[in-house]
Structures are given as structure tokens and as C-alpha cells.
Amino acid sequence: MMTMNELPASQNDGFSSDTDSDDSDVAFASMDFTGVDFGGDDDDVIVGEEETDVKALDDNGGSETKAKDDGDCNEGTKLESLDVVAPSSSQESAQEKTSASSESVRTFSSSSNHADRKNALSSIIFHEIDIDLTEIDKKILSIEKDQMLPFSGKMTFDASNIGEDNVEVNEVKELFRLLENGQYADILRSHVALGLFGSDLKYNAGELTMMEQMKRSVLEYFSTETHSNSQISRCAELEIIGIASLNLFLQLNYTGPSMDRGMKPEEGKEEQHPLDEINPHGMFRALDSDTNTKSQGSTKTGVSVSAPLFSISEDIAGTSSTEIDVRIHSLKETNTTDAFHNAVLSELAVDGEWPFQVCIAPYFLLLSRAILSVLAEPTRPFWVWSEKGNSSTNKDAATVDPASLGINSVGGANFAAGAKLLSGASLWNARAIVAHRRLISTRRDDDDGQTCPTLWNEAEAMFSRCLAAFCEKVTFDDEHRNTHVATEVMLEWGLAQHHFRQVGRGKKSFNKALEISKLEVEVTGAEGKRTKFQQKATAQYLVRAKPSSQEATVQEAADSTSEKKAHIEKQMIKHDEVSDDALLLEKIKFEEQDDNVHYNLSILDQSTLLALCLDVKNDNPMDGLTGEQMGAFLARVLNQHDDWMVYATALLERAWLECERTHGRERAILQIQALADQHSNRLTLTQSTFKSVEEDSAPAQDRLRNLHGIVYPPRWDMLRDLAERYAKIGVVTSAAEIFEELELWDDVVECYRVAGKESKAEEVVRARLAEKETPRMYAALGDLTKDPQYFERSLELSNGKFYDAHVALGKFYFDKGELRKSLEHFLGGLEIKPLMPAVWFRVGTISMQLSEWDTALQAFTEVVQQEPEEGDAWANVAAVHMHNRRAEEAYPALIESLKQNRNNWRVWVSKLYTCIDLKKYDEAIQTCMELINLKARRKSSDLIPTPEEKCVRAIVGGSMQNYHDARATSDEIALDSSKRTLTRVKQLLEKMKSSTKSEPWLFEVSAHFNEEMGWREEVFNDLMKEYRTLQSVGWEENPVKISQMTTLVKDIFSHHKTNGTKEGLVKSKLLINGVMKKIRCATCDSETPSEVAELDALLLELEKTMDSVSS
């Protein structure tokens, strides 16, 4: 058993989606361990693995024994001895326990050794006997088989089939009737149940566990008489009690309706809690005894009674906390103390895994597990598993006196023989095991199927027995019933593999169930419309399903009244109810009329389709295509509304899919809220009238009838999912209230912080710290108060191992500008959780600021390894390489960055520099084009630069050089490539001249390029454009521009001189004179620039040229 020092630290990271939630950690962190036994008791002995040298005692002397009781015994009853394996000497002895006698319960001998009894009880072995069944026994077994095994539709119990009336038979009749009507609490209050578990015993956890105490009571119940003809009825009664207990647990935690009356209280009547006297039964009163001093009253038998359940219409605003036990949580709907609640959870803990803390009345699951496991396997110890899959009989092992256990040999043997004849015990025990596994708190995404191996081994063995009994053998004379049972068992076996996360997640079993049922399923496509205003039909997924027997399914559908179906259909929230301008149709309208018509399917066939839909989800990534395929299966199931829970499951799955769609998100959230609300009897947003709660709802027995063939989440999972979705869309206050009900305190704090209610969040955190100091709560308090001392305290409590505190301190010091301390804490957090790309990114940026380039490169490399789609990290990897003058390594990083984000102009600029360094001029030209296009698309951004002058000059010069080199070497391939590059250069220059701000250097470069290419006319145009752009105000006062203008004038004169036309030379003369005049006027009060003398010389040369042309 896990001790307090072994409890794990909480790992919950807020309300992030599905990945970081750790239910078990939250359960531990929010738990009051009062009443939980953390002792170091040795494990139970596994039968057959240890032998002890204890003298065998047999009160029958090993001879055949006959039961005698006023001549009522069956003369042919054959009995053998009852052997009990003695305990190991290493077992601890426990204190002596005494139990009050009752009508149906026998006590242990006060002189016996209790440790021996405890271990012998776990290792008891019954020899097989034969029982002569009476006609009543046979009828009871026949009724048990019909009622306890799956059946199609609703089967009505006919008590007249059992026959004669007597006290024993009437009790069986009454229990069957109560089970059929869903009166599970009444069954647990019945004379039989109270006789078994209602005695006022002094319970001591150090002597027997609660499970072992229940097992002892069951065995003693069969030891009160030796009549073999009474054992069948007793086994049937016991099975009904176990099933009722399981169903009540499932009703409270899965399907509803809750036991809270919650509506209109009867005037003048003090209501007691509906679970009083049965949660717990009398034998465990000691564990719940402290309630007597805190509740408002108690029953005559001493069982605690909670405060009355308030109605929504009652005014409870003035009720003080002393009048209501604050530990009676609104979600738990329980009448027990935290001490008893935790004690039960500690019994249900398996393989070091703790059950979910806020479940309702887990005692009923414990009770059902005890009863059904004893019926299915009377000799197997609880929570112990041998390699053979069962407790094995050791023929050589010594035995102890059965009387020392308070167990009559004849009664115990008859119990084992009678239990073996029950048809439904194994299947219902398997269902209880699956419910037990679903209660265990493990992460939803990191469970690799290795959690709870004990429960998996038990489930595997139990389902193997069920498969052999119902899928490989003929159980009923009716072939349709045999097929139904075999399909149901195979389907439940597949779902068990899904819940235990085994390889394949039940895929093979789902397909086998489909094969057994002979249901024909086709997944195809057809043209249809899904919106109201859609004009053209598009391809849609379609699931066609045809049952094996159309007549049978039609008859079954006819059994259900239209009124009942209407109530079931009211669970659906329709698009028009959410918005008046809804675009989507309620279901796809296919073009072919035959595709809009569907066969009536049985409820089991619908469950099979839901299993196939689940298989699609398990087998494929959750993307749009997977959602469409799942939606087709769900749409087929939603065409019918024959069963409350099957319909609700399909609605819930569809709502989860629609949450990812824009037009369906609002309806989906409201649908999930409605499904969560239907568990409660109180008025809510989605059930706002008493009629919707009382009349438009299904009773418990209808909701539970087909629950085991579907995957419907427990209420805490549904509420958590709803809260997470609320948080994602910004409804954080409502999400916080739900998280608070679920005791997910980290999420509560995060929601209040996002909502701006820091004071409320701080109040919650300080309240939790007052109960128990935990690293997570101190870290949350530090986030709220911005005080680093709380983060330091969090690290102290966790011995420096709490990741969140390291990261929080890193952010704190980063904001203060203390980069060195910030880097140390971030690296400390990454030592604990290295797979955190956001923190690695922060480390990289800090390292760059500290000029620690190797650390920065390592950090950004970690980011891109963990998140290959992180474009900014790729860009920073390239930036580090560029700083280190490694252009060849920067280039591929830049390519990856641009794959993720092509709109980041900084990455394009970096790529431009890198391509020029690597002489990749074609890609450099393409990069310049992208920058120009990007600037044109985002006109509001002035930060996006045009290609720089030095880059354009480098591209033009490098391209020209490559062309000249190719011509010099006569390399035809290189020459063709360089010509294509020059063509792209021309396109780049033209695009820049037409789309960017005119700059003189651009026309200068273009003129030089055109001259090299031999395009003289374009050269002159570029020169004149350059001249006009240089004619800005004040150019004549700028020495640099004077020099540029002088050079430009010389180039223009050279062009006209080459042409040799008098007209051109006259224009050149006017141009030169104008430039000289402006320069002289601007510098008349200062020294004349040297460029004036150059222009004078140029003018003389021009006149000589004109004279020669004239002559």
C-alpha cells in the first residue's frame, strides 16, 4: 500500500487540452487522508505459491456427509470436505474482532487467531459437489438466465413462472421485481441485504479489509443452514444485490438521474438523504461514526443522516456553514464523511493507482465488486493475481478447521456449487471490473496499457470465461437470443480492451461482434447538401447499415411507443434552437432519395455502429477527414432514437466533433451542457421546467439497460471536458466553477486569473495552502502575487524538482532584466522537463542577448527537433549561423522557416543576404521579388524594406560576371544558365522601377546593365530618368550629389557623342550649361567645386565635337 511519503507531486498544467491533465495527482493533492489505513500489511497469500506445515483438520473426517434438518434435505445431495489453505508465517497478526450476532450472520469464534482467519479467508478452496435441484431451483435459474443476460428490448419479469409461494421464494420474486423497476436502493435496504451487511459490527481495518469483511458475511450467510435446496435462491438473491449495487453506482456517476430530489420538497416533511442506511451498511458504521456529531440527526440503527437536500426553490442564502456539513459536496451527493469516502477509495486502489476523488458513493462499487467476484470466483483473493489467472488448488497444502472461520462446511460447499450455476455472474463481474478500471485516475493520453495489470488480468480471465460460455456454446433455444448475447459479450470485450488501452483498442472484437450480428455495414459516399442555402450538392460520407433480420428489427421498433421516442429525441439541441439564422441542416439531405431512407436497427446494432465509430477515432489522427467519417456513423445512429443512453452517446460524440467547426461550436457546447444537466434533478439552463426533469426524462433502469455496450463518460469526465471547452472559448468563470466542483484546483486558479479575478483565485489558493502545503499551490500563489518568495518556497518543498516554479522564476527575472538568473532558472526547469519547446525558445533568445551563441544554437535546435513546424526557431537557427559566418548552414534553416511562414519579411531579408553570400543569384532575385510583392500586399507596413542598393548591385554584378566567365570558358550549360539569370535580372530591375520609390542608383544600375547587354536606347532612357531623380531641391549644395550629377552628365554626353547627331549634342550643351549655372550660383560665396572645371573641359570638348559634325 502506498504511504503518505510516496504520494506523487501534482503535474497538472492548467486547463490545456487533454495533454497535461493528471487526474491521479489532482486527486492526491486535494485529499484528506483521514480514515485511510496506510499500514504496512503484507499482501494476501497467493494460493498455491506457498505451502505451510499445518495439520489438516476436517470436521467431517473426510467422509461423505448428509445435511439433516427436519427431513427437508435432498437425500441425493453429495458433499465433500471443505479445505482451507493455512496462512504464511510472515503474515502479521491482527487484533481480535468480535461481531454482534444477527438473524442471518454468525460470528467468528473469539478464541481463534484473526490473522489466520484473514489469510485463510483469502485462500479458501471449495471442493466440487453435486446438488439435486428442485423444480423451484430450476425455475429460479431459468429466470436468472433470462433476466441477467443481455436481451433485445424490454423483458417483463413474470413472478408466476417461479411457482409456489413461501418466504424464500417471495423474497426472490420481490428482488427481481425491484431490479426490473430500477429500485436499486430498495434492494440494498431489503431484508436479505440488511441481513448480510446491516449488522452492527465493530470494524477494524487492521484485521480485515472491507472487501474481506463482505466476503466473510457472504460465506456466513450460506453457513446458517445446510439445506441444499435453499442455496440457489440465496445465490440469486446475492447476485441481484450485487447487480443493484453496481447499477446504483453507475446511475449516480454515469447516467443519472441523481438521488438528489432537488425540486419540490413535500411541505412539513423532513427529508433524509436517499442513501442513508445503505451508504454504508451497518457493518461499516465505525468508519463513518464521526458523522453522527456533525449531521443533523441519525437513524435508529445509528447510521448517519446528512442534512436535508435543499430544493432550488428554497431560500438557503441565510444558511450558515454550521448547519450544513461542508464536506457533503454538491457533486458527490453523498451522505458520508470524507474519512469513509477516502477509506473506500483506498480499498479500490489497485497497483498503486488511486481512484478519482470526486466520484459519488464508491461504496456501491466496492460492494458490487465484493459480491460479484465472490459469486464468479469464490476462491480467488481480492486484488491478488497468480500467473495462472486464478487461485489454484494445492492438493498437498494443509487445511485448517473450517469452524474456526465461522463457516459451515456444507453451507460453504453449497454456496460454491450454487454460484457456479448462475448464468450471469461472470458477465456482471466483468462489467464491474471495467467500471472499476474506469474509476482509476490515470492520464488520458499517457496510459500505455500497463496501468492496473491486476484488473486487466482479472478482466481478461473473466471475459475469456464469458466468451467461452456465450460465444462458443448455445445458451438459449432461441437462435436470435443466442446471437444477441454473443454479439453483446463480444462487443463488451472489445470495449474492455479500449478502456484498458490494450493493443488494437478492441478493433478485432468490434469486427467479430459485427460478424456475429450479421449486420451489413457499408461506408461510402454520396452527393448531398448540408446547409440550408446550398445550391450544388457535394460529396458526403454515408454509412449504410442493414440488419440481418429486417422483420425482427421492425418488430422491435414497433414495441417502443412514439411518446417514449419523442422524450428521447428531446435530448438533442437543434440548430434552430440556438440561432435563428443557423445555416446547417439538422442532417445531410442526399440527392438520391434511397440514401435518405434507412433500415430500422436494433439497439445492439446501433451500439455496434458506435463501436465502429470509436474504432475510426482510435485508428486515425483527429483531423477533418476522420471527423467526417465518424460523423457519418453518428448520423446513422441519430436517425433512430430508441434508447436514451445510445442516443445520448451519439449526441455527445457529435458535439465533440462540432466543437472544432465554426458553425456548429455554439450548438455543440450547449449540447454537452444539456447532456451533463440531465444527470441532475435540479433546474438548470437546459432543463428549466419541472416537466423536463420529471416527465421528459428516462428512468434509471431504461438508462442503464444498454450502458455496457457503449462508451459513455462518467459525469466527472464530462464536466471536465465541458469546463475545458468553456475555458477555450473564454467562458472562464463558468469553467472555474465546474473545475472547483471537480477539485481541479490548478484549473480553478488559472480560470480566475484569466477572468481577472485574481483576488478570488488567491482566496482559493490560500484556502488550499491552509489545509496542506504543496509546491503547486505555492507556485500558483506566486503567479497571483508576483512575489518570488513563493516560487522559492515551492522549490524548497519539491527539493528543486518543481518545473513550474523554475519557469516562473525565469520569467520573473527576465522581466526585471536579470538575464543571467533568468537563464539559470529556465535551464533548471528544462533539466526536469526537457520536452518544453517554448522554454527552449526563451533560453535561445536570452542566450543571443548574452552573446552565448553556442547555447543559443543548442536551444533553438532543441525547439526545431521537438516542434519542426516552429518557423521562428528555424529563423533563429539561421541567424546564429549567419552571425558565425556559416552561410552554407544558415541556408537550409531559412528554407525550413519560410516553409512555415512565408510572410515574415525578416526571414526573406536574411535569405537574400545568404543567397548573395553563396552566389545563388537566381534565388536572390526570387527573394527580392517576394519582398516587393509582400510590401505591395501589406501597404500599411512601412517596416518591410525594398531590396537594398548593395544587394541589387551585387546581384547584377555577380550575374554579369557569371555570364562573362561562361563565355570565356565556352561552357554551354553555364552560358545558358547565366543568360536565364540575366533575363531574371532584367525583370527584377523593371519591377523595381515600376513599383518602388524612384532612386537614382536604381536607374544608374539599370543603365549599366543595359549598356553591358548592348541595349543603348534603354541606356539613354535610364540616364535621363536618373538625371530627373537627381534634380531634387538642394542637390547643388550637396558635394556627393554634385559629384553624381557630374558623372551622369559625362555619361549623357558620351551617349550623344557616340550617336554623333547635332541635335543630341545641342541638348548635351544645354544640359551642361544648366548644371554649371546651378553649381556656380550655389557656391558663389565659397570655393568653387572641382567638378565645375571638369564641366568646363567637357563643354570645350563638346564644342569641338559640334564643329567637326558641322563641317
Side-chain angles (χ1 to χ4, degrees), residues 953 956-957 960 1002-1014 1019 1022-1023:
R953 289 184 182 276
V956 174
M960 292 298 301
L1002 179 59
F1003 296 106
E1004 178 189 351
V1005 172
S1006 179
H1008 172 71
F1009 174 77
N1010 289 328
E1011 186 175 4
E1012 289 287 335
M1013 298 298 295
V1019 171
D1022 288 333
L1023 291 175

Side-chain angles (χ1 to χ4, degrees), residues 291-346:
T291 316
N292 295 329
T293 62
K294 297 178 176 60
S295 61
Q296 293 189 350
S298 60
T299 64
K300 294 181 180 180
T301 58
V303 179
S304 61
V305 179
S306 69
L309 300 177
F310 289 99
S311 165
I312 194 171
S313 60
E314 293 177 289
D315 182 12
I316 61 174
T319 305
S320 64
S321 59
T322 58
E323 294 175 351
I324 304 175
D325 188 353
V326 295
R327 290 179 296 172
I328 299 175
H329 199 283
S330 60
L331 179 68
K332 295 176 184 176
E333 301 173 359
T334 182
N335 61 321
T336 60
T337 62
D338 285 345
F340 178 75
H341 186 80
N342 291 335
V344 173
L345 293 182
S346 69

Side-chain angles (χ1 to χ4, degrees), residues 11 31 71 128 402 440 943 1045 1092:
Q11 298 289 329
M31 182 180 302
E128 295 183 0
I440 298 299
L943 297 177
M1045 181 65 77
V1092 174

Side-chain angles (χ1 to χ4, degrees), residues 253-442:
N253 290 278
Y254 284 78
T255 65
S258 67
M259 302 297 288
D260 183 353
R261 78 179 193 275
M263 299 183 301
K264 296 181 273 190
E266 299 179 17
E267 294 184 3
K269 183 177 180 180
E270 183 74 6
E271 291 281 348
Q272 293 184 351
H273 199 284
L275 302 182
D276 282 339
E277 299 184 9
I278 59 174
N279 184 35
H281 283 98
M283 68 162 58
F284 302 116
R285 183 179 302 110
L287 278 177
D288 200 42
S289 60
D290 62 336
T291 316
N292 295 329
T293 62
K294 297 178 176 60
S295 61
Q296 293 189 350
S298 60
T299 64
K300 294 181 180 180
T301 58
V303 179
S304 61
V305 179
S306 69
L309 300 177
F310 289 99
S311 165
I312 194 171
S313 60
E314 293 177 289
D315 182 12
I316 61 174
T319 305
S320 64
S321 59
T322 58
E323 294 175 351
I324 304 175
D325 188 353
V326 295
R327 290 179 296 172
I328 299 175
H329 199 283
S330 60
L331 179 68
K332 295 176 184 176
E333 301 173 359
T334 182
N335 61 321
T336 60
T337 62
D338 285 345
F340 178 75
H341 186 80
N342 291 335
V344 173
L345 293 182
S346 69
E347 292 262 340
L348 290 169
V350 184
D351 297 323
E353 298 290 345
W354 192 267
F356 198 81
Q357 182 69 20
V358 296
C359 62
I360 306 170
Y363 169 75
F364 295 127
L365 178 61
L366 185 71
L367 181 62
S368 67
R369 291 286 285 117
I371 295 174
L372 295 173
S373 60
V374 168
L375 285 173
E377 293 183 290
T379 64
R380 198 183 72 80
F382 300 119
W383 306 169
V384 178
W385 196 259
S386 66
E387 294 181 358
K388 297 181 179 179
N390 202 342
S391 49
S392 54
T393 303
N394 187 350
K395 298 298 183 181
D396 299 327
T399 60
V400 298
D401 185 1
S404 66
L405 301 176
I407 302 173
N408 182 282
S409 300
V410 177
N414 277 322
F415 160 71
K420 189 172 65 173
L421 298 176
L422 296 176
S423 300
S426 297
L427 179 59
W428 280 97
N429 185 40
R431 290 171 171 177
I433 296 169
V434 173
H436 191 172
R437 172 62 186 87
R438 297 186 72 183
L439 180 63
I440 298 299
S441 297
T442 56

Side-chain angles (χ1 to χ4, degrees), residues 898-916:
L898 290 172
K899 284 181 180 178
Q900 310 306 326
N901 184 7
R902 298 187 64 83
N903 294 324
N904 192 332
W905 63 268
R906 292 181 177 85
V907 182
W908 284 111
V909 171
S910 297
K911 183 185 178 184
L912 176 59
Y913 292 149
T914 304
C915 290
I916 293 174

Side-chain angles (χ1 to χ4, degrees), residues 1084-1102:
C1084 61
D1085 297 332
S1086 60
E1087 184 180 355
T1088 304
S1090 59
E1091 284 82 3
V1092 174
E1094 295 179 13
L1095 291 174
D1096 283 336
L1098 185 63
L1099 189 58
L1100 292 174
E1101 183 181 355
L1102 174 61

Side-chain angles (χ1 to χ4, degrees), residues 103-118:
E103 180 180 358
S104 303
V105 182
R106 294 183 57 185
T107 62
F108 284 147
S109 170
S110 61
S111 61
S112 302
N113 184 288
H114 295 288
D116 290 346
R117 292 182 191 135
K118 175 179 179 178

Side-chain angles (χ1 to χ4, degrees), residues 868-871 874-875 890-901:
E869 297 180 356
E870 183 57 57
W874 282 111
Y891 176 77
L894 290 168
I895 297 300
E896 291 295 329
S897 178
L898 290 172
K899 284 181 180 178
Q900 310 306 326
N901 184 7

